[in-house]
Short mmCIF file of all heavy atoms in Angstrom, two decimals:
data_model
loop_
_atom_site.label_atom_id
_atom_site.label_comp_id
_atom_site.label_asym_id
_atom_site.label_seq_id
_atom_site.Cartn_x
_atom_site.Cartn_y
_atom_site.Cartn_z
N PHE A 11 29.96 -8.81 -7.56
CA PHE A 11 29.07 -8.57 -8.69
C PHE A 11 29.81 -7.99 -9.87
O PHE A 11 29.73 -8.48 -11.01
CB PHE A 11 27.93 -7.63 -8.28
CG PHE A 11 27.15 -7.12 -9.47
CD1 PHE A 11 26.24 -7.94 -10.13
CD2 PHE A 11 27.34 -5.83 -9.92
CE1 PHE A 11 25.55 -7.46 -11.23
CE2 PHE A 11 26.64 -5.36 -11.03
CZ PHE A 11 25.73 -6.17 -11.67
N GLU A 14 32.23 -10.42 -11.62
CA GLU A 14 31.53 -11.39 -12.48
C GLU A 14 30.92 -10.72 -13.69
O GLU A 14 30.82 -11.31 -14.77
CB GLU A 14 30.49 -12.14 -11.66
CG GLU A 14 31.09 -13.02 -10.56
CD GLU A 14 30.02 -13.84 -9.85
OE1 GLU A 14 28.93 -14.04 -10.44
OE2 GLU A 14 30.29 -14.31 -8.73
N LEU A 15 30.44 -9.46 -13.52
CA LEU A 15 29.83 -8.74 -14.65
C LEU A 15 30.85 -8.50 -15.75
O LEU A 15 30.54 -8.55 -16.94
CB LEU A 15 29.26 -7.42 -14.15
CG LEU A 15 28.50 -6.58 -15.19
CD1 LEU A 15 27.23 -7.32 -15.63
CD2 LEU A 15 28.15 -5.21 -14.64
N LEU A 17 33.14 -10.41 -16.70
CA LEU A 17 33.36 -11.64 -17.47
C LEU A 17 32.13 -12.10 -18.24
O LEU A 17 32.22 -13.02 -19.06
CB LEU A 17 33.83 -12.75 -16.50
CG LEU A 17 35.08 -12.47 -15.71
CD1 LEU A 17 35.34 -13.60 -14.72
CD2 LEU A 17 36.29 -12.30 -16.63
N ALA A 18 30.99 -11.48 -17.96
CA ALA A 18 29.73 -11.92 -18.60
C ALA A 18 29.63 -11.22 -19.96
O ALA A 18 29.60 -10.01 -20.07
CB ALA A 18 28.53 -11.56 -17.73
N ASN A 19 29.57 -12.03 -21.05
CA ASN A 19 29.52 -11.48 -22.39
C ASN A 19 28.38 -12.04 -23.23
O ASN A 19 28.40 -11.94 -24.46
CB ASN A 19 30.86 -11.73 -23.11
CG ASN A 19 31.98 -10.92 -22.53
OD1 ASN A 19 31.84 -9.72 -22.32
ND2 ASN A 19 33.10 -11.57 -22.20
N SER A 20 27.39 -12.63 -22.59
CA SER A 20 26.23 -13.12 -23.33
C SER A 20 24.99 -12.80 -22.54
O SER A 20 25.03 -12.56 -21.32
CB SER A 20 26.32 -14.62 -23.60
OG SER A 20 26.17 -15.32 -22.36
N VAL A 21 23.86 -12.80 -23.24
CA VAL A 21 22.59 -12.52 -22.56
C VAL A 21 22.32 -13.53 -21.46
O VAL A 21 21.83 -13.22 -20.40
CB VAL A 21 21.45 -12.53 -23.60
CG1 VAL A 21 20.08 -12.39 -22.89
CG2 VAL A 21 21.63 -11.42 -24.60
N GLU A 22 22.67 -14.81 -21.75
CA GLU A 22 22.42 -15.87 -20.77
C GLU A 22 23.26 -15.67 -19.51
O GLU A 22 22.76 -15.84 -18.38
CB GLU A 22 22.75 -17.24 -21.38
CG GLU A 22 21.79 -17.70 -22.48
CD GLU A 22 22.05 -17.00 -23.81
OE1 GLU A 22 23.06 -16.30 -23.94
OE2 GLU A 22 21.21 -17.13 -24.70
N GLU A 23 24.53 -15.28 -19.68
CA GLU A 23 25.40 -15.06 -18.52
C GLU A 23 24.94 -13.86 -17.70
O GLU A 23 24.97 -13.86 -16.47
CB GLU A 23 26.84 -14.86 -18.99
CG GLU A 23 27.48 -16.12 -19.56
CD GLU A 23 28.84 -15.86 -20.19
OE1 GLU A 23 29.16 -14.65 -20.40
OE2 GLU A 23 29.58 -16.80 -20.46
N ILE A 24 24.47 -12.82 -18.39
CA ILE A 24 23.96 -11.61 -17.70
C ILE A 24 22.69 -11.96 -16.95
O ILE A 24 22.52 -11.52 -15.79
CB ILE A 24 23.69 -10.47 -18.72
CG1 ILE A 24 25.00 -10.04 -19.36
CG2 ILE A 24 23.00 -9.31 -18.04
CD1 ILE A 24 24.83 -9.09 -20.55
N GLU A 25 21.86 -12.78 -17.50
CA GLU A 25 20.62 -13.17 -16.81
C GLU A 25 20.93 -14.00 -15.57
O GLU A 25 20.26 -13.88 -14.53
CB GLU A 25 19.70 -13.93 -17.76
CG GLU A 25 18.35 -14.35 -17.15
CD GLU A 25 17.53 -13.18 -16.66
OE1 GLU A 25 17.72 -12.06 -17.19
OE2 GLU A 25 16.69 -13.40 -15.76
N LYS A 26 21.96 -14.88 -15.66
CA LYS A 26 22.34 -15.67 -14.51
C LYS A 26 22.83 -14.74 -13.38
O LYS A 26 22.54 -15.02 -12.20
CB LYS A 26 23.46 -16.65 -14.89
CG LYS A 26 22.98 -17.83 -15.73
CD LYS A 26 24.16 -18.77 -16.06
CE LYS A 26 23.66 -19.93 -16.91
NZ LYS A 26 24.78 -20.83 -17.29
N LEU A 27 23.52 -13.69 -13.76
CA LEU A 27 23.97 -12.72 -12.73
C LEU A 27 22.77 -12.03 -12.08
O LEU A 27 22.74 -11.81 -10.88
CB LEU A 27 24.86 -11.66 -13.39
CG LEU A 27 26.38 -11.92 -13.38
CD1 LEU A 27 27.10 -10.73 -13.97
CD2 LEU A 27 26.88 -12.19 -11.98
N ARG A 28 21.77 -11.70 -12.92
CA ARG A 28 20.59 -11.03 -12.38
C ARG A 28 19.88 -11.93 -11.36
O ARG A 28 19.49 -11.48 -10.28
CB ARG A 28 19.61 -10.70 -13.52
CG ARG A 28 18.40 -9.86 -13.07
CD ARG A 28 17.32 -9.83 -14.14
NE ARG A 28 17.89 -9.43 -15.43
CZ ARG A 28 18.14 -8.19 -15.81
NH1 ARG A 28 17.90 -7.21 -14.94
NH2 ARG A 28 18.63 -7.91 -17.01
N VAL A 29 19.75 -13.19 -11.67
CA VAL A 29 19.11 -14.13 -10.75
C VAL A 29 19.96 -14.30 -9.48
O VAL A 29 19.40 -14.36 -8.37
CB VAL A 29 18.89 -15.49 -11.45
CG1 VAL A 29 18.41 -16.54 -10.46
CG2 VAL A 29 17.92 -15.36 -12.60
N LYS A 30 21.28 -14.38 -9.64
CA LYS A 30 22.14 -14.58 -8.48
C LYS A 30 22.05 -13.45 -7.48
O LYS A 30 22.02 -13.67 -6.26
CB LYS A 30 23.58 -14.76 -8.93
CG LYS A 30 24.57 -14.94 -7.79
CD LYS A 30 25.99 -15.16 -8.27
CE LYS A 30 26.96 -15.31 -7.10
NZ LYS A 30 28.35 -15.53 -7.54
N PHE A 31 21.96 -12.20 -7.98
CA PHE A 31 21.97 -11.06 -7.06
C PHE A 31 20.61 -10.45 -6.79
O PHE A 31 20.38 -9.89 -5.73
CB PHE A 31 22.91 -9.97 -7.63
CG PHE A 31 24.36 -10.34 -7.55
CD1 PHE A 31 24.96 -11.04 -8.59
CD2 PHE A 31 25.11 -10.01 -6.43
CE1 PHE A 31 26.30 -11.38 -8.52
CE2 PHE A 31 26.45 -10.36 -6.37
CZ PHE A 31 27.06 -11.05 -7.40
N VAL A 68 23.37 -2.13 -9.30
CA VAL A 68 23.38 -3.46 -9.93
C VAL A 68 22.39 -3.48 -11.09
O VAL A 68 22.73 -3.97 -12.17
CB VAL A 68 23.01 -4.54 -8.87
CG1 VAL A 68 22.74 -5.88 -9.56
CG2 VAL A 68 24.14 -4.70 -7.86
N ALA A 71 23.78 -1.41 -13.98
CA ALA A 71 24.94 -2.07 -14.58
C ALA A 71 24.50 -3.22 -15.48
O ALA A 71 25.07 -3.43 -16.55
CB ALA A 71 25.89 -2.55 -13.49
N LEU A 72 23.52 -3.97 -15.01
CA LEU A 72 23.01 -5.08 -15.84
C LEU A 72 22.36 -4.59 -17.12
O LEU A 72 22.57 -5.15 -18.20
CB LEU A 72 21.99 -5.90 -15.02
CG LEU A 72 22.56 -6.75 -13.88
CD1 LEU A 72 21.46 -7.29 -12.99
CD2 LEU A 72 23.41 -7.91 -14.46
N LEU A 73 21.58 -3.50 -17.04
CA LEU A 73 20.96 -2.93 -18.22
C LEU A 73 22.00 -2.43 -19.20
O LEU A 73 21.88 -2.64 -20.43
CB LEU A 73 20.02 -1.80 -17.83
CG LEU A 73 18.69 -2.20 -17.16
CD1 LEU A 73 17.94 -0.96 -16.67
CD2 LEU A 73 17.82 -2.98 -18.12
N GLN A 74 23.03 -1.77 -18.67
CA GLN A 74 24.09 -1.25 -19.54
C GLN A 74 24.84 -2.41 -20.22
O GLN A 74 25.20 -2.32 -21.40
CB GLN A 74 25.04 -0.38 -18.71
CG GLN A 74 26.13 0.29 -19.57
CD GLN A 74 26.97 1.23 -18.72
OE1 GLN A 74 26.73 1.41 -17.53
NE2 GLN A 74 27.97 1.85 -19.32
N LYS A 75 25.10 -3.46 -19.46
CA LYS A 75 25.81 -4.61 -20.02
C LYS A 75 24.99 -5.30 -21.11
O LYS A 75 25.52 -5.72 -22.13
CB LYS A 75 26.15 -5.60 -18.89
CG LYS A 75 27.07 -6.74 -19.33
CD LYS A 75 28.47 -6.26 -19.51
CE LYS A 75 29.42 -7.43 -19.78
NZ LYS A 75 30.83 -7.02 -19.87
N GLU A 76 23.68 -5.39 -20.88
CA GLU A 76 22.80 -6.02 -21.86
C GLU A 76 22.80 -5.29 -23.18
O GLU A 76 22.60 -5.88 -24.25
CB GLU A 76 21.35 -6.11 -21.31
CG GLU A 76 21.16 -7.19 -20.28
CD GLU A 76 19.74 -7.19 -19.74
OE1 GLU A 76 19.06 -6.17 -19.88
OE2 GLU A 76 19.32 -8.22 -19.18
N SER A 77 22.97 -3.96 -23.12
CA SER A 77 22.94 -3.15 -24.37
C SER A 77 24.34 -3.02 -25.00
O SER A 77 24.49 -2.34 -26.02
CB SER A 77 22.40 -1.76 -24.04
OG SER A 77 23.21 -1.09 -23.11
N SER A 78 25.35 -3.64 -24.40
CA SER A 78 26.70 -3.55 -24.94
C SER A 78 26.78 -4.34 -26.27
O SER A 78 26.08 -5.30 -26.48
CB SER A 78 27.70 -4.08 -23.95
OG SER A 78 27.52 -5.49 -23.76
N ALA A 80 29.04 -6.39 -27.31
CA ALA A 80 29.44 -7.80 -27.15
C ALA A 80 28.23 -8.70 -26.85
O ALA A 80 28.09 -9.79 -27.40
CB ALA A 80 30.47 -7.91 -26.02
N ALA A 81 27.36 -8.21 -26.00
CA ALA A 81 26.18 -9.01 -25.63
C ALA A 81 25.24 -9.13 -26.82
O ALA A 81 24.65 -10.17 -27.04
CB ALA A 81 25.45 -8.35 -24.45
N LYS A 82 25.11 -8.05 -27.60
CA LYS A 82 24.22 -8.07 -28.75
C LYS A 82 24.71 -9.05 -29.80
O LYS A 82 23.96 -9.80 -30.42
CB LYS A 82 24.08 -6.68 -29.35
CG LYS A 82 23.25 -5.74 -28.49
CD LYS A 82 23.09 -4.38 -29.16
CE LYS A 82 22.23 -3.47 -28.31
NZ LYS A 82 22.05 -2.13 -28.93
#
Side-chain angles (χ1 to χ4, degrees):
F11 168 75
E14 295 186 19
L15 184 66
L17 301 175
N19 291 311
S20 70
V21 174
E22 291 77 10
E23 291 173 346
I24 296 171
E25 182 59 26
K26 287 181 181 178
L27 268 185
R28 187 192 308 279
V29 172
K30 178 178 179 179
F31 288 89
V68 169
L72 288 170
L73 287 173
Q74 185 175 358
K75 188 73 173 184
E76 284 178 340
S77 61
S78 66
K82 288 182 178 180

